[in-house]
């Protein structure tokens, strides 16, 4: 029997390194880095401009994820660029807050928790062979699963953190007392006090998730070592 003749499908062109670097979501990532660089360069001279640039950069974090899915341009480099930009941006803001509030150690401790929690989670992801650090289906903690399993809840917690930090920066005075500023703001009957209260709840939930995440990721690393020794 003769084989059916017809035009052969053209093979997909191979992607080079440059094409991946120029993915739309990755370009958005570069713009985020630029905006954050400018924002922190002017943070003490123009608080409002800093806040706008910082928040727009934060919003772009959601846009680049949408673009990656929309245009089928998901990449490991893009995921790493996204996470590094997020962590560095938040870390820089926490360092700034530690300089204008007392006790500054509060913000430095939050910085350490944020970085160590996410770094351990990423490392444990590679150890278990998962493709995403957000894959926590096997977790037994309901809050941890709810955070990564519900986009709306996760977005609320993340936005709450950034909004709270930006507000604290905007209303801060030199060497302000963190407790006094928070209590003074919450005691007022205003839109700002409502926004701070809502942000505090989401912020607290995210810090709790960070603690749970760090413990869960550390357990994965320990179990990996135990299994590795058992095979020897």
């Amino acid at each position: 029997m003769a084989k059916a003749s017809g035009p052969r499908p053209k093979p997909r062109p191979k992607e080079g390194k440059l094409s991946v670097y120029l993915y739309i979501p990755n370009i958005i990532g570069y713009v985020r880095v630029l905006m954050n660089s400018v924002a922190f360069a002017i943070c003490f001279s123009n608080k409002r401009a800093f806040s706008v640039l910082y928040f727009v950069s934060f919003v772009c974090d959601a846009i680049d994820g949408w673009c990656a899915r929309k245009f089928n341009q998901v990449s490991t480099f893009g995921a790493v660029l996204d996470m590094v930009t997020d962590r560095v941006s938040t870390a820089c803001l926490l360092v700034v807050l530690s300089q204008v509030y007392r006790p500054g150690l509060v913000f430095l401790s939050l910085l350490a928790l944020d970085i160590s929690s996410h770094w351990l989670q990423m490392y444990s992801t590679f150890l278990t062979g998962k493709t995403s650090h957000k894959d926590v289906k096997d977790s037994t903690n309901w809050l941890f699963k709810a955070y990564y399993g519900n986009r709306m809840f996760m977005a609320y917690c993340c936005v709450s953190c950034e909004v709270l930090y930006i507000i604290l920066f905007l209303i801060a005075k030199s060497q302000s007392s963190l407790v006094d500023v928070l209590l003074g703001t919450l005691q007022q009957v205003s839109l700002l006090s409502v926004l701070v209260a809502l942000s505090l709840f989401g912020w607290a939930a995210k810090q709790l998730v960070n603690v749970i995440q760090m413990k869960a990721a550390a357990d994965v690393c320990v179990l990996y070592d135990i299994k590795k020794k058992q095979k020897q």
Side-chain angles (χ1 to χ4, degrees):
M1 183 180 293
K3 294 183 179 180
S5 60
R8 294 182 179 180
K10 294 182 179 180
R12 292 182 62 183
K14 293 183 178 180
E15 288 188 322
K17 288 191 295 184
L18 182 60
S19 63
V20 176
Y21 281 125
L22 294 180
Y23 276 177
I24 293 174
N26 293 344
I27 293 175
I28 295 175
Y30 308 145
V31 174
R32 290 186 65 203
V33 172
L34 180 60
M35 283 193 292
N36 282 324
S37 299
V38 174
F40 283 105
I42 63 172
C43 65
F44 290 112
S45 60
N46 194 330
K47 284 187 173 184
R48 290 187 178 181
F50 161 79
S51 300
V52 171
L53 285 171
Y54 185 91
F55 191 73
V56 170
S57 171
F58 174 73
V59 172
C60 286
D61 182 26
I63 296 176
D64 65 8
W66 180 85
C67 288
R69 295 185 294 272
K70 175 70 174 179
F71 301 107
N72 192 26
Q73 293 184 338
V74 177
S75 65
T76 302
F77 169 73
V80 174
L81 175 65
D82 187 50
M83 175 169 280
V84 170
T85 303
D86 289 341
R87 302 283 65 80
V88 172
S89 301
T90 303
C92 289
L93 182 51
L94 288 170
V95 169
V96 170
L97 289 172
S98 73
Q99 299 303 303
V100 296
Y101 280 101
R102 290 295 175 265
L105 183 60
V106 172
F107 296 103
L108 296 180
S109 298
L110 291 171
L111 188 161
L113 174 62
D114 186 62
I115 292 179
S116 58
S117 172
H118 284 85
W119 191 90
L120 271 169
Q121 179 68 3
M122 284 294 292
Y123 194 79
S124 66
T125 298
F126 288 119
L127 287 180
T128 55
K130 295 180 179 179
T131 57
S132 172
H133 70 283
K134 297 179 181 178
D135 183 1
V136 295
K137 299 184 186 69
D138 53 351
S139 174
T140 57
N141 188 281
W142 66 270
L143 181 60
F144 194 33
K145 293 174 70 173
Y147 179 79
Y148 279 117
N150 189 308
R151 286 182 178 272
M152 293 300 294
F153 179 59
M154 183 180 180
Y156 164 66
C157 292
C158 292
V159 171
S160 294
C161 275
E162 301 301 333
V163 168
L164 179 63
Y165 294 152
I166 290 173
I167 290 175
L168 286 175
F169 180 66
L170 285 173
I171 65 179
K173 297 179 182 178
S174 181
Q175 304 301 307
S176 301
S177 169
L178 177 60
V179 175
D180 290 344
V181 169
L182 281 175
L183 289 178
T185 303
L186 291 173
Q187 288 172 357
Q188 298 173 5
V189 181
S190 64
L191 179 61
L192 180 62
S193 62
V194 173
L195 189 58
V196 169
L198 290 173
S199 298
L200 271 172
F201 183 80
W203 169 86
K206 191 173 190 306
Q207 303 318 307
L208 184 56
V209 167
N210 278 342
V211 173
I212 296 170
Q213 177 172 262
M214 185 166 61
K215 176 61 169 61
D219 286 344
V220 169
C221 294
V222 170
L223 289 173
Y224 177 82
D225 286 335
I226 293 174
K227 291 179 180 179
K228 187 176 180 180
K229 287 185 178 181
Q230 289 176 343
K231 292 180 180 180
Q232 291 178 350

